[in-house]
Amino acid sequence: MTRGVSWFFVAPLVLLGLSGCKFGLEQREPWRSEAEERCLAEGLVKPSAYTIPVREVDGAGTCGMDHPFKVLAFNDGAIELSPKATLACPITASVDRWMLEDIQPAAMAWFGQPVAKVKQLSSYSCRNMNGGPSGKISEHAFGNALDIGGFVLADGREISVKTGWKGSTDERGFLRTVQYTGCQRFSTVLGPGYNIYHYDHIHVDLMRRTSGHLACNPKVALPTPPAPFSPPIYKAPPMVNPIYKAPPGQAPWNARPMVSAPPPATPVVDTEPAEDDGYAPANATIFSSAPISRTPVAPAPAAGRRPPPPGPETAGAPVPLSAPGAPMVLAPNAPAPAYGHGVDPDYRSPTPDYGAPTPLTPPAGAPPRSAYPAQSAPSAYPSQPASAYPAPSYPPPSAYPPPSAYPAPARAAPPAGSRPPSSRPPGIPLPPASVPLAQWLGIDTTATGSIGGGGAGHATGNVRSFTAERAFASPIPAPEAEAGAD
């Protein structure tokens, strides 16, 4: 009874322990989450168009990661990652720095151009190592590893790990540089030659081991890249001193004596009594530095004296130059003009004589010009009979009565007792501007001595000169006087 009761309590615990792996009761190592948190806190990977943060990956068992990224490119888009990968923050930051500091310089050293694309074969994958059904879980299950299968250069050339590991010299040197520098940055680097599973890619991860062991297989030495290409420098051939050969019959140039002054020049006299044509005679030495003289030159006059006018004895002689320092005379022998200035007032331009006009005659044997035939009068057009138009039939005009004569308007008679309007006799002008209007009208308010009993100089006040009324032109008619008013 006691044994049956104990199995009743122990059996559920055993079954629960056996099913723990299946239902995900296992936990990921704490260092994985700590590494992700530290990577984000230090800003080693920042969200961008090439590194996009995604939600947490919680796979079967312990697979997954807390802060994954969808990686499309490294180095801010300079190196494309194809196909895109899901990676954790630590491996993303390490691969990005590896590409910038090691892969790109190696590509420039071996190929002379940068890497434009990286081909990856595996990133996050919840599986065991080497993809087997059993064994230890792979770092790919935590997004902490990346398998690189090849590179594409800027010119489109592809460097494959599968064929280039034993390919040309530059491909082998570049891929071994990738393997060597990867071992300096990652805790695990596995490439071709390690086992059958890594013949076509280079595996890198950041696995932490308790022993601190770093796996780098195969171990390679850092190859030396070729020297950078430098174009050849072409140099001109050295100059050879020319060999001087003296003309036949003469001494070489270095055998002649060195003199400080040339020999004195000997005058050459022209013996040919011929007219001067402007050229040297045939028997003259043209290389002589002495001038050619035909007649004796007259002595130069004293400074400040004007030479005498030419006479019969000096006609045709060369004009002597002035003494040194004396003003130069432009025309010493020219007589002074009679008109006192340089322009002759009587000068007239000559009229060209063109001669009598030459009549134009046809050359001998030329056919006579044909005369135009007389133009005949234009043919008269046949007369056309005038067509008789019918007379218009309009109705006779209606008889209108003659217009009535309007009676002349009767002039209204002026009222009784009113003064008839005075009319200005024709020919009476307006008063001049210098005559006062009062004097023109016959009204004089000036005091005089001829009126009144005051004697001469007696002022009579408002004195009116009763003279005949004068008519004058005015644009405004005078107002009518009221009946009974003075």
Side-chain angles (χ1 to χ4, degrees):
M1 183 67 183
T2 305
R3 182 179 299 177
V5 172
S6 61
W7 278 107
F8 178 78
F9 288 102
V10 172
L13 297 176
V14 172
L15 294 175
L16 183 62
L18 293 176
S19 62
C21 294
K22 182 178 180 181
F23 291 97
L25 297 180
E26 297 180 1
Q27 298 293 327
R28 291 192 290 269
E29 293 91 335
W31 66 265
R32 299 187 183 276
S33 298
E34 293 175 1
E36 290 188 65
E37 296 291 343
R38 180 178 299 176
C39 178
L40 293 176
E42 294 178 356
L44 301 180
V45 177
K46 297 180 180 179
S48 67
Y50 312 105
T51 52
I52 305 172
V54 294
R55 63 182 182 178
E56 177 186 1
V57 176
D58 189 9
T62 58
C63 296
M65 62 197 91
D66 296 337
H67 305 284
F69 285 89
K70 187 71 67 175
V71 182
L72 283 72
F74 296 108
N75 297 163
D76 295 331
I79 303 176
E80 179 187 356
L81 182 61
S82 177
K84 57 186 177 182
T86 302
L87 299 172
C89 181
I91 190 68
T92 301
S94 298
V95 172
D96 187 84
R97 189 173 180 180
W98 181 37
M99 293 289 171
L100 178 64
E101 298 179 357
D102 296 329
I103 303 299
Q104 290 289 41
M108 294 297 299
W110 289 97
F111 305 110
Q113 54 184 319
V115 172
K117 181 189 295 186
V118 174
K119 291 188 174 182
Q120 62 95 7
L121 301 182
S122 178
S123 56
Y124 168 75
S125 177
C126 186
R127 60 180 176 84
N128 294 329
M129 289 185 179
N130 302 324
S134 61
K136 294 182 64 175
I137 191 169
S138 173
E139 288 296 309
H140 287 281
F142 308 103
N144 200 33
L146 183 67
D147 291 344
I148 298 175
F151 303 88
V152 179
L153 303 179
D155 65 348
R157 180 182 177 184
E158 183 175 351
I159 310 299
S160 174
V161 176
K162 180 179 179 179
T163 60
W165 189 261
K166 296 182 179 181
S168 60
T169 303
D170 53 354
E171 292 178 343
R172 289 186 316 211
F174 172 71
L175 292 177
R176 278 160 177 76
T177 304
V178 173
Q179 177 80 6
Y180 179 87
T181 56
C183 293
Q184 311 301 317
R185 294 184 178 275
F186 302 96
S187 59
T188 304
V189 180
L190 306 175
Y194 169 62
N195 58 19
I196 193 175
Y197 300 105
H198 297 85
Y199 75 99
D200 61 347
H201 67 274
I202 297 176
H203 168 92
V204 294
D205 66 47
L206 293 174
M207 180 182 180
R208 291 186 183 182
R209 299 177 179 87
T210 307
S211 61
H213 173 68
L214 302 178
C216 181
N217 293 304
K219 293 183 178 181
V220 297
L222 181 64
T224 302
F229 173 76
S230 58
I233 301 176
Y234 296 95
K235 296 182 179 180
M239 296 184 61
V240 180
N241 294 331
I243 301 175
Y244 175 79
K245 294 183 179 181
Q250 295 185 10
W253 63 274
N254 53 1
R256 298 178 182 178
M258 302 295 292
V259 293
S260 58
T266 303
V268 178
V269 179
D270 186 10
T271 58
E272 298 231 352
E275 51 217 48
D276 188 8
D277 53 1
Y279 297 94
N283 60 350
T285 305
I286 62 175
F287 297 103
S288 176
S289 60
I292 300 175
S293 60
R294 288 186 173 86
T295 55
V297 179
R305 295 182 58 187
R306 184 174 180 178
E313 65 279 357
T314 60
V319 178
L321 300 178
S322 302
M328 184 178 63
V329 181
L330 297 179
N333 298 334
Y339 38 82
H341 51 82
V343 180
D344 187 0
D346 298 331
Y347 174 78
R348 298 293 184 271
S349 59
T351 303
D353 185 11
Y354 298 104
T358 304
L360 298 178
T361 58
R369 291 184 298 177
S370 59
Y372 288 98
Q375 300 294 330
S376 59
S379 60
Y381 290 96
S383 59
Q384 301 293 334
S387 60
Y389 290 96
S393 59
Y394 294 104
S398 58
Y400 293 96
S404 59
Y406 291 95
R411 183 180 301 272
S418 62
R419 182 180 180 183
S422 61
S423 60
R424 180 176 61 88
I428 302 300
L430 293 175
S434 61
V435 179
L437 183 60
Q439 294 183 5
W440 185 262
L441 296 178
I443 302 174
D444 188 5
T445 58
T446 305
T448 62
S450 59
I451 300 176
H458 176 72
T460 59
N462 188 7
V463 180
R464 179 174 180 178
S465 176
F466 295 92
T467 61
E469 182 179 0
R470 298 182 182 180
F472 62 94
S474 174
I476 303 175
E480 302 294 337
E482 297 180 3
D486 185 6

